Each structure stands twice: as structure tokens, then as C-alpha cells.
Amino acid sequence: MPIKLKDLFIICESIEKIIQWCISIGLILDLTGEVCKKCSLGHFRLRKESSFSNDIFYWKCSNKKCSKKVSIRNGSWFQGHNLSLEKILFITYFWIYKVDQEFVKHELSICNQTIVDWYNYCREVCIEILKIDSEKIGGDSVIVEIDESKFGKRKYHKGRQVEGQWVFGGIERDSKKSFFATVENRTKETLLKLIKDNIKPGTTIISDCWKAYDCLGSEGFEHLKVNYSVNFVDPETGAHTNTTESTWRALKKSLPKYGTVKSLYDTYFSQYCVRKKYIIGSEDPFIAFITLIKKVYNPEKQKQTLITTEIINISEPQPATKKPRVLHEITNTLNSSLDDFQA
């Protein structure tokens, strides 16, 4: 059964239960019984002492002559922040289920900026997951629709002039594998590089009649065009880009109505893709996203570093910043493989 809100309250009844649960699912590193490589004599065990950390508990070498201590947050999703483990779990849960931020603010007694920060962190995980799972789409006898669309609002809410961000994307017709990228312009050089970086040679590409695509036939692709000024489906070839058109509508609908800045468009696109691929329809959406968190913030990979001779002192976590925690340089291109990318 999926974790419900009442179940999360039970998990968060005490810091002991939270830590036990996080260790059981691998969200926090378990150092129980690990040999301390500082003294090579003691073993790590969980100790309780409120003076060392807001979390009360920490890992300590059993050798009384050894000063080795390790924070339970080290290497995990929780590291570097002053929110309690309880609030971090709840705010992650609320992000999964798209709970209104005013409700989150009221229930957790935290400020709007902290909520924005943690929602950014969740979307950052989405970006990293899509980078990890990235792959070129298309191939021989495979159709990929490509198109570009402008995300933004009409200038002064009048007319057709739109100020915003150009987004370029491609979707594999049958499997709905896809990629999206924000672009500063729609020149041949810009779009061709994205196409070559994300679509396999030999793919049949369907596009509109934008002049930047005229070179595709000589670049190793089969190229079909649709002239939308005449019809939406080419009467001779049957070519169309209805799949990408419906995807643009779904993507734009998924964006917040207010406060969206151009620099965060990629994060919202990745959020949309990850929700579609991993979360919607999963047996337990909360656990499904925690699995993704562990794939990005993997404390197990840092175990040997944490128990080496270097002393890792317990320190108060730093407040959340206004920018997401960038694990790696965030690239513009987002790749995903979706079973159903329609709205």
C-alpha cells in the first residue's frame, strides 16, 4: 500500500523513528558496525547527544580514545540544511502530490522562500535523473517529430507578440521517447546541433517548413515537411506533428501560472517528464521519488570517505539558499523516455 499522510505522521512521531525509517529505505547511511578507519579498533554506533546536532543522533566510534564522529546527514538528501528531518520529509511528500504552497506554509510553519527552495531541490533531482537516463532517440524506420515553441505571455496581454523563451523538442512517434531544450535562437547551427546530439542518424524526421530544417536531408536523416499554411496533415505523405503540438499544450499547462522565470524553465520541463515517467501510475509515488533521490544523492557511495582517518566534525546544517543545490553543471538539454507523453 502507498504511504498516506497518516502513515507519514506515524513515521515522524519521533526523531528515532524517522532515522530508523530513513536507514531502512537507504535515505540515510547506516554505519552500524562499520570499522572506524581512524583508529582501526572501534566500530561505529548511533549515539544520542543533543549538544552535537539538532538531529540529536550521530555516528560515533566505540573506541573511547577515538574522536571520530559522523553526522547522520552526511552524504544524504538532508545534508547542509537546517530544516528538521521531519519537515524535509513532509515538504517532499507535499511536492509529490502538488499540494498548494500556502497549505504547506501553514502546516509546517515555514516561510515561502524555504518552500520554493525545496521545490527547486526536488526539480533538481528530476534534472539529474533525466541526465542519468539520457539516450538518443529515433533510428532506422523510426519517426521523430520535431518542433519549437515559445513559452511566455503576450506583451501587455495584447496581440500576438510573445515575450518568453524558445523551446525546441523532439518526440519519437511510437515510444514517446523525447528530448527538450531551451534555446536562445532558432538558427540552423543551434537546432542542427541539438538534432545531431539527440536523434540517431537514419531517423525519419517530420517538421514544419522552418528554413533551419532544410539541411536535414543532407545530414543523414530522412526529412518530411508539413506546410501548416496549407494543411495540418500532408496529403501526399501523411506527415504531421500533432504529437509535439499536444505536448506543448501539456507542458505549458504544467507551468505555474505566476512567478515562473526563464532560467527555471528547464527544471519545470524535467519535473513534467519525471512525473510522467516515474511517479504517475507508480504503486507509491512518494517511495518512487525517494528512489530517484537515492539515485542522485547516494550516501552508500560515500561510506568509505566518511569512515576514513579524516575527522568529520558535526556542524549545524546551513540554511537553504535561494538557488538549488547544483550537483553538476545543469545542461539545457533534457532527455527522457516516456510511455505516455500526452496530456
Side-chain angles (χ1 to χ4, degrees):
M1 293 293 292
I3 292 177
K4 301 292 183 67
L5 192 57
K6 61 181 178 63
D7 302 317
L8 191 56
F9 275 111
I10 294 174
I11 291 171
C12 295
E13 281 181 344
S14 67
I15 185 63
E16 289 92 340
K17 282 190 174 183
I18 293 174
I19 293 174
Q20 182 181 18
W21 184 78
C22 288
I23 288 176
S24 70
I25 63 171
L27 200 54
I28 285 178
L29 185 63
D30 186 4
L31 294 183
T32 304
E34 292 288 337
V35 176
C36 175
K37 293 189 177 181
K38 174 180 171 55
C39 65
S40 299
L41 297 174
H43 295 78
F44 282 102
R45 59 186 180 185
L46 206 57
R47 295 289 299 273
K48 182 178 181 180
E49 190 172 342
S50 59
S51 62
F52 283 99
S53 168
N54 289 335
D55 298 323
I56 302 177
F57 289 88
Y58 63 97
W59 298 106
K60 188 177 187 301
C61 175
S62 59
N63 180 5
K64 294 182 179 180
K65 296 182 179 180
C66 182
S67 58
K68 181 69 174 176
K69 305 180 183 71
V70 178
S71 168
I72 61 170
R73 297 192 183 213
N74 277 9
S76 76
W77 169 243
F78 306 105
Q79 182 175 347
H81 296 272
N82 64 353
L83 272 185
S84 66
L85 301 181
E86 175 188 7
K87 289 185 176 181
I88 293 174
L89 288 177
F90 270 104
I91 200 170
T92 305
Y93 184 92
F94 289 146
W95 177 84
I96 289 293
Y97 288 102
K98 301 181 182 180
V99 176
D100 182 81
Q101 292 190 20
E102 283 302 314
F103 178 85
V104 179
K105 177 182 177 182
H106 176 267
E107 290 299 312
L108 300 183
S109 299
I110 55 180
C111 67
N112 286 328
Q113 187 58 59
T114 299
I115 299 172
V116 169
D117 287 345
W118 277 97
Y119 279 21
N120 282 344
Y121 302 155
C122 290
R123 292 199 302 275
E124 182 192 64
V125 169
C126 296
I127 286 182
E128 295 299 321
I129 287 299
L130 294 184
K131 287 164 62 178
I132 292 171
D133 292 347
S134 65
E135 61 176 338
K136 283 191 175 184
I137 66 175
D140 293 337
S141 303
V142 178
I143 296 175
V144 171
E145 299 177 18
I146 62 172
D147 195 16
E148 69 283 340
S149 182
K150 201 164 191 179
F151 283 65
K153 297 180 180 179
R154 292 185 181 90
K155 190 174 183 180
Y156 310 123
H157 304 284
K158 297 179 181 180
R160 298 188 62 183
Q161 184 175 353
V162 176
E163 291 185 332
Q165 175 68 59
W166 280 106
V167 179
F168 176 72
I171 300 177
E172 192 173 296
R173 172 94 42 102
D174 294 328
S175 70
K176 302 302 186 298
K177 293 180 181 179
S178 60
F179 72 90
F180 295 94
T182 55
V183 293
E184 294 303 318
N185 57 66
R186 297 184 296 156
T187 63
K188 169 186 171 181
E189 293 73 21
T190 297
L191 299 185
L192 183 59
K193 183 179 187 306
L194 287 172
I195 291 169
K196 287 185 172 182
D197 287 346
N198 292 280
I199 302 178
K200 297 175 183 177
T203 301
T204 298
I205 295 179
I206 301 178
S207 73
D208 57 23
C209 293
W210 178 241
K211 60 183 179 181
Y213 302 137
D214 290 343
C215 64
L216 293 181
S218 60
E219 293 290 345
F221 303 99
E222 296 292 328
H223 186 208
L224 300 178
K225 299 181 183 179
V226 184
N227 189 345
Y228 288 126
S229 63
V230 178
N231 44 51
F232 291 101
V233 179
D234 188 278
E236 295 183 4
T237 64
H240 65 81
T241 57
N242 294 341
T243 307
T244 51
E245 292 297 330
S246 62
T247 298
W248 292 137
R249 290 192 292 271
L251 276 172
K252 290 176 180 179
K253 187 177 179 180
S254 72
L255 293 176
K257 293 182 179 180
Y258 308 102
T260 307
V261 295
K262 290 170 61 176
S263 61
L264 292 179
Y265 275 152
D266 281 342
T267 71
Y268 285 109
F269 299 154
S270 65
Q271 172 183 265
Y272 178 88
C273 294
V274 166
R275 285 186 183 278
K276 280 285 187 178
K277 183 179 180 181
Y278 298 98
I279 298 176
I280 296 175
S282 63
E283 183 177 343
D284 188 334
F286 184 50
I287 294 299
F289 187 64
I290 284 179
T291 300
L292 300 183
I293 290 174
K294 292 189 295 181
K295 198 171 182 178
V296 176
Y297 294 87
N298 188 346
E300 189 67 29
K301 289 183 177 180
Q302 302 186 48
K303 177 182 289 187
Q304 295 306 312
T305 301
L306 296 176
I307 60 177
T308 55
T309 55
E310 179 185 357
I311 299 176
I312 302 179
N313 296 319
I314 304 292
S315 61
E316 291 300 322
Q318 297 300 310
T321 62
K322 293 184 179 181
K323 296 181 180 179
R325 297 170 293 180
V326 179
L327 301 178
H328 311 288
E329 182 180 356
I330 295 177
T331 58
N332 283 334
T333 303
L334 305 175
N335 296 274
S336 66
S337 174
L338 308 181
D339 294 328
D340 181 9
F341 205 73
Q342 301 290 332

PDB file of all heavy atoms in Angstrom, residues 167-185:
ATOM      1  N   VAL A 167      11.675  27.067 -26.919  1.00  0.00           N
ATOM      2  CA  VAL A 167      11.982  25.695 -26.514  1.00  0.00           C
ATOM      3  C   VAL A 167      11.911  24.802 -27.743  1.00  0.00           C
ATOM      4  O   VAL A 167      10.966  24.885 -28.527  1.00  0.00           O
ATOM      5  CB  VAL A 167      10.995  25.183 -25.450  1.00  0.00           C
ATOM      6  CG1 VAL A 167      11.325  23.744 -25.063  1.00  0.00           C
ATOM      7  CG2 VAL A 167      11.026  26.085 -24.224  1.00  0.00           C
ATOM      8  N   PHE A 168      12.933  23.977 -27.917  1.00  0.00           N
ATOM      9  CA  PHE A 168      12.984  23.043 -29.042  1.00  0.00           C
ATOM     10  C   PHE A 168      12.859  21.629 -28.507  1.00  0.00           C
ATOM     11  O   PHE A 168      13.422  21.294 -27.460  1.00  0.00           O
ATOM     12  CB  PHE A 168      14.301  23.193 -29.806  1.00  0.00           C
ATOM     13  CG  PHE A 168      14.481  22.200 -30.917  1.00  0.00           C
ATOM     14  CD1 PHE A 168      13.745  22.306 -32.083  1.00  0.00           C
ATOM     15  CD2 PHE A 168      15.380  21.152 -30.778  1.00  0.00           C
ATOM     16  CE1 PHE A 168      13.902  21.381 -33.114  1.00  0.00           C
ATOM     17  CE2 PHE A 168      15.552  20.227 -31.802  1.00  0.00           C
ATOM     18  CZ  PHE A 168      14.806  20.346 -32.971  1.00  0.00           C
ATOM     19  N   GLY A 169      12.102  20.788 -29.217  1.00  0.00           N
ATOM     20  CA  GLY A 169      11.931  19.427 -28.734  1.00  0.00           C
ATOM     21  C   GLY A 169      11.669  18.437 -29.840  1.00  0.00           C
ATOM     22  O   GLY A 169      11.337  18.808 -30.972  1.00  0.00           O
ATOM     23  N   GLY A 170      11.844  17.169 -29.516  1.00  0.00           N
ATOM     24  CA  GLY A 170      11.565  16.078 -30.436  1.00  0.00           C
ATOM     25  C   GLY A 170      10.954  14.912 -29.708  1.00  0.00           C
ATOM     26  O   GLY A 170      11.337  14.620 -28.571  1.00  0.00           O
ATOM     27  N   ILE A 171       9.984  14.239 -30.349  1.00  0.00           N
ATOM     28  CA  ILE A 171       9.312  13.095 -29.732  1.00  0.00           C
ATOM     29  C   ILE A 171       9.281  11.930 -30.701  1.00  0.00           C
ATOM     30  O   ILE A 171       8.874  12.080 -31.860  1.00  0.00           O
ATOM     31  CB  ILE A 171       7.873  13.450 -29.314  1.00  0.00           C
ATOM     32  CG1 ILE A 171       7.869  14.587 -28.301  1.00  0.00           C
ATOM     33  CG2 ILE A 171       7.177  12.227 -28.713  1.00  0.00           C
ATOM     34  CD1 ILE A 171       6.489  15.030 -27.894  1.00  0.00           C
ATOM     35  N   GLU A 172       9.711  10.777 -30.236  1.00  0.00           N
ATOM     36  CA  GLU A 172       9.646   9.567 -31.028  1.00  0.00           C
ATOM     37  C   GLU A 172       8.196   9.113 -31.103  1.00  0.00           C
ATOM     38  O   GLU A 172       7.562   8.899 -30.068  1.00  0.00           O
ATOM     39  CB  GLU A 172      10.542   8.503 -30.388  1.00  0.00           C
ATOM     40  CG  GLU A 172      10.786   7.291 -31.261  1.00  0.00           C
ATOM     41  CD  GLU A 172      11.812   6.351 -30.652  1.00  0.00           C
ATOM     42  OE1 GLU A 172      12.985   6.755 -30.511  1.00  0.00           O
ATOM     43  OE2 GLU A 172      11.445   5.232 -30.291  1.00  0.00           O
ATOM     44  N   ARG A 173       7.687   8.960 -32.312  1.00  0.00           N
ATOM     45  CA  ARG A 173       6.252   8.790 -32.521  1.00  0.00           C
ATOM     46  C   ARG A 173       5.658   7.615 -31.755  1.00  0.00           C
ATOM     47  O   ARG A 173       4.651   7.752 -31.089  1.00  0.00           O
ATOM     48  CB  ARG A 173       5.987   8.651 -34.030  1.00  0.00           C
ATOM     49  CG  ARG A 173       4.578   8.288 -34.428  1.00  0.00           C
ATOM     50  CD  ARG A 173       3.658   9.413 -34.764  1.00  0.00           C
ATOM     51  NE  ARG A 173       4.100  10.520 -35.548  1.00  0.00           N
ATOM     52  CZ  ARG A 173       3.836  10.687 -36.846  1.00  0.00           C
ATOM     53  NH1 ARG A 173       3.224   9.736 -37.537  1.00  0.00           N
ATOM     54  NH2 ARG A 173       4.178  11.806 -37.455  1.00  0.00           N
ATOM     55  N   ASP A 174       6.242   6.432 -31.835  1.00  0.00           N
ATOM     56  CA  ASP A 174       5.634   5.243 -31.246  1.00  0.00           C
ATOM     57  C   ASP A 174       5.919   5.079 -29.751  1.00  0.00           C
ATOM     58  O   ASP A 174       5.036   4.743 -28.978  1.00  0.00           O
ATOM     59  CB  ASP A 174       6.093   3.985 -31.996  1.00  0.00           C
ATOM     60  CG  ASP A 174       5.585   3.970 -33.427  1.00  0.00           C
ATOM     61  OD1 ASP A 174       4.486   4.512 -33.660  1.00  0.00           O
ATOM     62  OD2 ASP A 174       6.283   3.437 -34.316  1.00  0.00           O
ATOM     63  N   SER A 175       7.161   5.295 -29.350  1.00  0.00           N
ATOM     64  CA  SER A 175       7.531   5.048 -27.952  1.00  0.00           C
ATOM     65  C   SER A 175       7.350   6.263 -27.061  1.00  0.00           C
ATOM     66  O   SER A 175       7.368   6.162 -25.856  1.00  0.00           O
ATOM     67  CB  SER A 175       8.991   4.607 -27.864  1.00  0.00           C
ATOM     68  OG  SER A 175       9.851   5.693 -28.170  1.00  0.00           O
ATOM     69  N   LYS A 176       7.209   7.435 -27.655  1.00  0.00           N
ATOM     70  CA  LYS A 176       7.121   8.713 -26.933  1.00  0.00           C
ATOM     71  C   LYS A 176       8.411   9.077 -26.213  1.00  0.00           C
ATOM     72  O   LYS A 176       8.419   9.896 -25.300  1.00  0.00           O
ATOM     73  CB  LYS A 176       5.950   8.705 -25.933  1.00  0.00           C
ATOM     74  CG  LYS A 176       4.596   8.441 -26.568  1.00  0.00           C
ATOM     75  CD  LYS A 176       4.252   9.455 -27.629  1.00  0.00           C
ATOM     76  CE  LYS A 176       2.842   9.262 -28.146  1.00  0.00           C
ATOM     77  NZ  LYS A 176       2.603   7.970 -28.799  1.00  0.00           N
ATOM     78  N   LYS A 177       9.545   8.441 -26.592  1.00  0.00           N
ATOM     79  CA  LYS A 177      10.829   8.924 -26.104  1.00  0.00           C
ATOM     80  C   LYS A 177      10.986  10.351 -26.610  1.00  0.00           C
ATOM     81  O   LYS A 177      10.530  10.692 -27.697  1.00  0.00           O
ATOM     82  CB  LYS A 177      11.973   8.054 -26.613  1.00  0.00           C
ATOM     83  CG  LYS A 177      11.988   6.644 -26.056  1.00  0.00           C
ATOM     84  CD  LYS A 177      13.152   5.851 -26.624  1.00  0.00           C
ATOM     85  CE  LYS A 177      13.173   4.424 -26.089  1.00  0.00           C
ATOM     86  NZ  LYS A 177      14.302   3.646 -26.665  1.00  0.00           N
ATOM     87  N   SER A 178      11.665  11.187 -25.826  1.00  0.00           N
ATOM     88  CA  SER A 178      11.677  12.595 -26.189  1.00  0.00           C
ATOM     89  C   SER A 178      12.903  13.329 -25.670  1.00  0.00           C
ATOM     90  O   SER A 178      13.654  12.801 -24.850  1.00  0.00           O
ATOM     91  CB  SER A 178      10.419  13.276 -25.635  1.00  0.00           C
ATOM     92  OG  SER A 178      10.381  13.171 -24.232  1.00  0.00           O
ATOM     93  N   PHE A 179      13.093  14.543 -26.144  1.00  0.00           N
ATOM     94  CA  PHE A 179      14.086  15.456 -25.584  1.00  0.00           C
ATOM     95  C   PHE A 179      13.556  16.876 -25.743  1.00  0.00           C
ATOM     96  O   PHE A 179      12.768  17.171 -26.646  1.00  0.00           O
ATOM     97  CB  PHE A 179      15.452  15.320 -26.282  1.00  0.00           C
ATOM     98  CG  PHE A 179      15.503  15.881 -27.677  1.00  0.00           C
ATOM     99  CD1 PHE A 179      15.866  17.207 -27.895  1.00  0.00           C
ATOM    100  CD2 PHE A 179      15.175  15.099 -28.767  1.00  0.00           C
ATOM    101  CE1 PHE A 179      15.904  17.736 -29.182  1.00  0.00           C
ATOM    102  CE2 PHE A 179      15.213  15.616 -30.055  1.00  0.00           C
ATOM    103  CZ  PHE A 179      15.577  16.940 -30.265  1.00  0.00           C
ATOM    104  N   PHE A 180      13.990  17.752 -24.840  1.00  0.00           N
ATOM    105  CA  PHE A 180      13.606  19.162 -24.878  1.00  0.00           C
ATOM    106  C   PHE A 180      14.806  20.018 -24.512  1.00  0.00           C
ATOM    107  O   PHE A 180      15.654  19.614 -23.721  1.00  0.00           O
ATOM    108  CB  PHE A 180      12.455  19.449 -23.903  1.00  0.00           C
ATOM    109  CG  PHE A 180      11.190  18.749 -24.266  1.00  0.00           C
ATOM    110  CD1 PHE A 180      10.887  17.529 -23.702  1.00  0.00           C
ATOM    111  CD2 PHE A 180      10.317  19.300 -25.188  1.00  0.00           C
ATOM    112  CE1 PHE A 180       9.733  16.854 -24.045  1.00  0.00           C
ATOM    113  CE2 PHE A 180       9.165  18.648 -25.543  1.00  0.00           C
ATOM    114  CZ  PHE A 180       8.866  17.417 -24.968  1.00  0.00           C
ATOM    115  N   ALA A 181      14.866  21.206 -25.074  1.00  0.00           N
ATOM    116  CA  ALA A 181      15.977  22.112 -24.780  1.00  0.00           C
ATOM    117  C   ALA A 181      15.520  23.552 -24.950  1.00  0.00           C
ATOM    118  O   ALA A 181      14.835  23.871 -25.933  1.00  0.00           O
ATOM    119  CB  ALA A 181      17.162  21.838 -25.690  1.00  0.00           C
ATOM    120  N   THR A 182      15.876  24.400 -24.008  1.00  0.00           N
ATOM    121  CA  THR A 182      15.660  25.832 -24.191  1.00  0.00           C
ATOM    122  C   THR A 182      16.738  26.352 -25.125  1.00  0.00           C
ATOM    123  O   THR A 182      17.896  25.934 -25.046  1.00  0.00           O
ATOM    124  CB  THR A 182      15.737  26.584 -22.846  1.00  0.00           C
ATOM    125  OG1 THR A 182      16.985  26.290 -22.206  1.00  0.00           O
ATOM    126  CG2 THR A 182      14.593  26.181 -21.928  1.00  0.00           C
ATOM    127  N   VAL A 183      16.375  27.252 -26.026  1.00  0.00           N
ATOM    128  CA  VAL A 183      17.320  27.808 -26.995  1.00  0.00           C
ATOM    129  C   VAL A 183      17.175  29.315 -27.054  1.00  0.00           C
ATOM    130  O   VAL A 183      16.088  29.863 -26.854  1.00  0.00           O
ATOM    131  CB  VAL A 183      17.106  27.205 -28.397  1.00  0.00           C
ATOM    132  CG1 VAL A 183      17.461  25.723 -28.409  1.00  0.00           C
ATOM    133  CG2 VAL A 183      15.675  27.399 -28.870  1.00  0.00           C
ATOM    134  N   GLU A 184      18.281  29.986 -27.305  1.00  0.00           N
ATOM    135  CA  GLU A 184      18.263  31.447 -27.412  1.00  0.00           C
ATOM    136  C   GLU A 184      17.862  31.904 -28.802  1.00  0.00           C
ATOM    137  O   GLU A 184      17.427  33.040 -28.997  1.00  0.00           O
ATOM    138  CB  GLU A 184      19.643  32.016 -27.054  1.00  0.00           C
ATOM    139  CG  GLU A 184      20.031  31.807 -25.599  1.00  0.00           C
ATOM    140  CD  GLU A 184      19.022  32.401 -24.641  1.00  0.00           C
ATOM    141  OE1 GLU A 184      18.537  33.527 -24.914  1.00  0.00           O
ATOM    142  OE2 GLU A 184      18.697  31.747 -23.643  1.00  0.00           O
ATOM    143  N   ASN A 185      18.023  31.028 -29.794  1.00  0.00           N
ATOM    144  CA  ASN A 185      17.633  31.381 -31.154  1.00  0.00           C
ATOM    145  C   ASN A 185      17.259  30.112 -31.911  1.00  0.00           C
ATOM    146  O   ASN A 185      17.462  28.998 -31.415  1.00  0.00           O
ATOM    147  CB  ASN A 185      18.766  32.122 -31.887  1.00  0.00           C
ATOM    148  CG  ASN A 185      20.042  31.295 -31.926  1.00  0.00           C
ATOM    149  OD1 ASN A 185      20.106  30.246 -32.563  1.00  0.00           O
ATOM    150  ND2 ASN A 185      21.079  31.772 -31.226  1.00  0.00           N
TER     151      ASN A 185
END
